[in-house]
């Protein structure tokens, strides 16, 4: 077990904490917003409700500086880009990558260009990209088309791609697995994740395997990846031309890290499964209302999948499960409000009316 986090020291982000495992050199300028070190929260109410006698933990990545796990990869990718002399970065994004790219570019004092699918990114993410001063380019097309365009344009212009095809992204993201191992003093039995472009499941497997190979831990988890039914290339075993799901973060039909993600499930004895939009939204609300944890729709698919696989017996009773909650619920207020079952009440501003409104609910 490593004890890299000296508690007397101001936390300076995951590159500083895990530098011996990361591609940084002495003297490099580190571009960081103190990302990482996110809480691993043990669920208390949902396991009881579903009759599960093991433990379910959520790795709450929504508490990163820009509200998603993308910050882990972005600190590493932008640090390398800046130290190699790059003055501009570019990405295609379903939203969270663009928010992280915009923030870390601002921190580094370089330009960010982000390509987003028109009308298909959550409002919080768009607000972030715009606020941090990125050049936001909406395309009349989906994420996969944006991704191809980014690869082409990077061949012709002096811009560094910071999508997860940039290998430094996965290096940063693997640190989430390190943190989990350090928190639990072992790897979980199962690790459940949403899968879109398939970078994150690949990164976690890199992290778990690296600590295992370096004898920091004696076990590795079974990796389970979940996709929305309308955007499930791994379930159909081929790219999907027109992916659709309310979980816009994972509205991706042609994942770039295909082979690595398949390898993670095969090597670990895991699987890919799919969940419908209704199941995703149901679990998002369940987590918010039974545990007090607000994640975005795409993130809730990890827990939705875990619960389904517990019920089917694929995940064994008594085991330890970690589900990654990839992004904060505040990213997508529109979806949250539109599916709320308790409509707001409007009453007169009098004590009597307030009392009546409360008493009716007690
Ligand atoms: C909340 O921002 O691809 O399988 O462009 O935002 O590593 O792609 C986002 C992906 C899961 C899927 N959960 O992770 C983007 C983007 C949330 C996400 C995923 C994303 P990958």
């Amino acid at each position: 077990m490593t004890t890299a986090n000296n508690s007397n020291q101001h936390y300076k982000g995951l590159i500083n904490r895990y530098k011996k495992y990361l591609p940084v050199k002495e003297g490099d300028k580190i571009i960081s917003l103190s990302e990482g070190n996110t809480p691993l929260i043990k669920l208390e109410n949902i396991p009881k409700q579903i009759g599960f006698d093991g433990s379910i933990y959520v790795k709450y990545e929504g508490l990163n500086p820009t509200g998603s796990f993308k910050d882990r990869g972005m600190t590493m990718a932008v640090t390398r880009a800046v130290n190699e002399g790059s003055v501009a970065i570019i990405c295609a994004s379903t939203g969270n990558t663009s928010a992280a790219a915009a923030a870390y570019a601002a921190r580094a004092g370089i330009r960010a260009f982000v390509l987003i699918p028109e009308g298909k990114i959550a409002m919080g993410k768009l607000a972030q990209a715009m606020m941090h001063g990125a050049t936001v380019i909406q395309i009349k097309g989906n994420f996969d088309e944006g991704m191809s365009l980014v690869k082409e344009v990077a061949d012709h212009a002096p811009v560094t791609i910071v999508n997860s095809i940039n290998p430094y992204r996965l290096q940063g993201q693997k640190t989430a697995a390190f943190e989990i191992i350090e928190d639990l003093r072992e790897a979980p039995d199962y690790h459940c994740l949403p899968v879109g472009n398939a970078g994150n499941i690949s990164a976690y497997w890199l992290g778990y395997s690296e600590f295992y190979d370096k004898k920091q831990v004696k076990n590795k988890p079974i990796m389970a990846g979940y996709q929305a039914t309308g955007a499930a290339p791994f379930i159909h075993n081929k790219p999907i031309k027109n992916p659709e799901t309310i979980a816009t973060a994972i509205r991706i039909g042609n994942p770039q890290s295909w082979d690595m993600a398949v390898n993670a499930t095969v090597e670990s004895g895991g699987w890919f499964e799919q969940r419908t939009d209704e199941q995703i939204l149901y679990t998002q609300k369940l987590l918010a209302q039974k545990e007090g944890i607000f994640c975005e729709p795409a993130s809730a698919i990890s827990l939705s999948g875990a619960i389904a696989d517990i019920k089917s017996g694929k995940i064994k009773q008594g085991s330890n499960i970690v589900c990654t909650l990839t992004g904060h619920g505040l990213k997508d207020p529109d979806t949250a409000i539109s599916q709320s079952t308790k409509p707001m009440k409007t009453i007169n501003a009098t004590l009597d009316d307030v009392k009546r409104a409360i008493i009716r609910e007690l």
Side-chain angles (χ1 to χ4, degrees):
M1 214 67 52
T2 49
T3 49
N5 202 21
N6 179 341
S7 56
N8 295 323
Q9 231 172 31
H10 169 60
Y11 179 75
K12 296 196 198 75
L14 60 87
I15 295 180
N16 184 59
R17 180 168 176 184
Y18 291 114
K19 50 179 165 303
K20 69 177 181 185
Y21 303 103
L22 291 171
V24 275
K25 296 186 286 284
E26 205 56 51
D28 277 348
K29 180 176 165 58
I30 309 293
I31 309 300
S32 170
L33 292 166
S34 298
E35 58 294 307
N37 200 21
T38 55
L40 188 65
I41 307 171
K42 188 172 178 178
L43 300 188
E44 291 183 348
N45 302 314
I46 294 173
K48 278 187 213 137
Q49 182 178 323
I50 62 166
F52 180 62
D53 63 8
S55 300
I56 307 177
Y57 299 87
V58 293
K59 181 71 170 158
Y60 196 19
E61 290 287 276
L63 293 193
N64 274 296
T66 78
S68 89
F69 74 98
K70 302 288 181 181
D71 294 343
R72 291 183 185 274
M74 208 54 74
T75 183
M76 196 62 251
V78 174
T79 291
R80 283 271 43 94
V82 164
N83 285 286
E84 283 156 24
S86 178
V87 292
I89 58 175
I90 190 168
C91 65
S93 180
T94 58
N96 279 326
T97 301
S98 71
Y104 283 81
R107 181 77 162 177
I110 62 174
R111 302 285 306 274
F113 298 92
V114 304
L115 267 73
I116 56 170
E118 188 186 22
K120 294 289 184 182
I121 86 166
M123 208 46 78
K125 305 172 189 180
L126 185 60
Q128 290 178 290
M130 296 179 88
M131 190 61 170
H132 291 302
T135 302
V136 179
I137 305 162
Q138 286 209 68
I139 59 161
K140 296 180 192 300
N142 62 26
F143 169 84
D144 303 298
E145 292 165 302
M147 191 66 246
S148 320
L149 288 165
V150 160
K151 287 198 243 178
E152 277 181 61
V153 82
D155 283 343
H156 298 101
V159 288
T160 303
I161 300 179
V162 292
N163 281 103
S164 53
I165 56 171
N166 177 327
Y168 301 126
R169 277 276 311 276
L170 300 197
Q171 288 298 309
Q173 284 173 215
K174 75 183 179 186
T175 59
F178 296 170
E179 290 176 14
I180 290 166
I181 290 169
E182 288 174 356
D183 269 356
L184 296 179
R185 317 245 154 227
E186 63 181 3
D189 301 312
Y190 300 88
H191 192 115
C192 303
L193 284 154
V195 175
N197 212 19
N200 212 27
I201 191 169
S202 307
Y204 270 90
W205 188 240
L206 279 177
Y208 283 124
S209 302
E210 185 169 345
F211 261 26
Y212 180 83
D213 292 342
K214 292 188 170 146
K215 308 230 177 322
Q216 304 283 352
V217 68
K218 291 198 185 69
N219 66 321
K220 288 194 274 188
I222 289 170
M223 303 294 292
Y226 300 97
Q227 301 210 280
T229 41
F234 287 107
I235 305 299
H236 300 285
N237 204 23
K238 60 169 199 292
I240 304 288
K241 215 169 161 38
N242 294 306
E244 269 313 334
T245 167
I246 191 150
T248 51
I250 51 172
R251 188 173 167 273
I252 295 174
N254 187 17
Q256 297 297 303
S257 298
W258 185 285
D259 293 344
M260 273 192 283
V262 168
N263 178 60
T265 56
V266 171
E267 250 182 45
S268 71
W271 56 81
F272 294 105
E273 268 296 352
Q274 58 186 337
R275 307 298 289 150
T276 65
D277 282 2
E278 289 90 78
Q279 290 165 334
I280 292 169
L281 294 179
Y282 172 84
T283 312
Q284 184 194 18
K285 207 183 296 174
L286 185 75
L287 193 56
Q289 298 187 354
K290 297 289 175 206
E291 302 283 357
I293 301 167
F294 190 19
C295 69
E296 67 172 286
S299 308
I301 201 172
S302 59
L303 180 62
S304 180
I307 292 172
D309 288 337
I310 288 168
K311 289 185 173 163
S312 76
K314 248 172 151 174
I315 291 181
K316 304 281 175 266
Q317 281 291 343
S319 54
N320 285 332
I321 306 169
V322 172
C323 297
T324 300
L325 301 180
T326 44
H328 203 290
L330 291 173
K331 293 273 193 176
D332 191 355
D334 300 312
T335 305
I337 291 169
S338 67
Q339 60 144 342
S340 172
T341 43
K342 269 198 184 166
M344 253 193 302
K345 291 187 184 53
T346 306
I347 58 164
N348 292 324
T350 65
L351 183 58
D352 273 355
D353 280 22
V354 174
K355 274 194 198 156
R356 221 171 296 134
I358 292 170
I359 284 164
R360 227 180 292 137
E361 294 285 324
L362 287 174

